[in-house]
Amino acid sequence: MTDAGATVGTGGTAGAVEGFRALHHGRAPEDPLVLPGPWDAASARAFEEAGFPALATPSAGVAASLGYADGATPADEMFAAVARITRSVSVPVSADVEGGYGLAPKELVARVLDSGAVGVNLEDSRDGTLKDPRAHAAWLAEVRAAAGGALFVNARVDSFLRGVTDPEEAIGRARLYVAAGADCVYPIGVPPEHLPLLRSRIEGPLNVAPFPGGPPVRELGRLGATRVTFGPGLLHRAMAAVRDIAGQVRRSS
């Protein structure tokens, strides 16, 4: 294992982490940071070649690429998949490692750094149930302490995803996580109409995922998003194209 404060690989250098962190600040409202989600090395290279300055792996997309249901990927396989992605590109990569796989904060940080990632996405629900926000904030503080400045911590807020429609629940959780040292918060599933309120009440960068048929990226930025990620959405679009190609080949054979 790599010491949590050490530099690792191309993606894990101190300069890469700080460069990734800087991408989240000083942005115009209509220019959110767009981080596509690679599910393997080939897709990561395609996104880098398209000119994106950084990438963010989606755990659901990686799981699908490995033949697992979302949430069922063994930790070793997830970290190995992230490592294949980070070593295939020269841009910084943030890794979605779900709820941390039950690892102690120091071990979790070490394994993320060993994978070459410069950031980590951590969710606040388990088996479909929201975690106690104060206990989760304390755990995030331990992750932050173990990582120091070596990882960008994106704290996912799952209240909307778990059916809690009151935005105050998401705001309360997000504020606790920011106070615990999170660099960014991600209220997954937030209805776009709530974004201005969240933006006004939460300090620091705000990660948002687009809804199918919802506002485009620039509009999400104007509503309050600092960065936009896509979860497994890009993989789903790619697989639709693969199925179409497969159908064409089948019909012509």
Side-chain angles (χ1 to χ4, degrees), residues 47 97 161 189 209:
F47 293 136
V97 295
L161 183 67

Side-chain angles (χ1 to χ4, degrees), residues 145-232:
L151 280 178
F152 184 98
V153 177
N154 187 39
R156 203 177 86 175
V157 178
D158 287 2
S159 53
F160 292 111
L161 183 67
R162 303 306 174 196
V164 182
T165 59
D166 185 354
E168 292 296 334
E169 176 69 20
I171 290 167
R173 287 174 174 268
R175 290 168 67 96
L176 284 170
Y177 305 160
V178 169
D183 295 282
C184 182
V185 291
Y186 176 17
I188 186 171
V190 57
E193 61 269 22
H194 289 327
L195 275 174
L197 174 63
L198 268 64
R199 175 68 289 160
S200 70
R201 300 274 301 282
I202 299 169
E203 293 185 14
L206 194 63
N207 188 155
V208 174
F211 282 103
V217 167
R218 286 185 179 275
E219 180 61 19
L220 289 174
R222 283 190 285 268
L223 289 170
T226 309
R227 93 179 198 180
V228 176
T229 56
F230 299 88

Side-chain angles (χ1 to χ4, degrees), residues 65-138:
S65 76
L66 297 173
Y68 291 103
D70 184 19
T73 309
D76 288 349
E77 292 197 47
M78 182 63 76
F79 287 117
V82 172
R84 287 191 292 272
I85 289 169
T86 63
R87 66 174 175 254
S88 72
V89 295
S90 60
V91 296
V93 177
S94 180
D96 181 350
V97 295
E98 304 177 287
Y101 307 111
L103 299 172
K106 290 180 70 172
E107 183 179 0
L108 175 62
V109 167
R111 295 204 66 177
V112 173
L113 290 174
D114 277 346
S115 77
V118 302
V120 65
N121 187 75
L122 297 165
E123 57 198 49
D124 69 347
S125 63
R126 181 188 295 112
D127 299 326
T129 301
L130 288 166
K131 299 177 182 177
D132 176 80
R134 293 191 179 278
H136 187 66

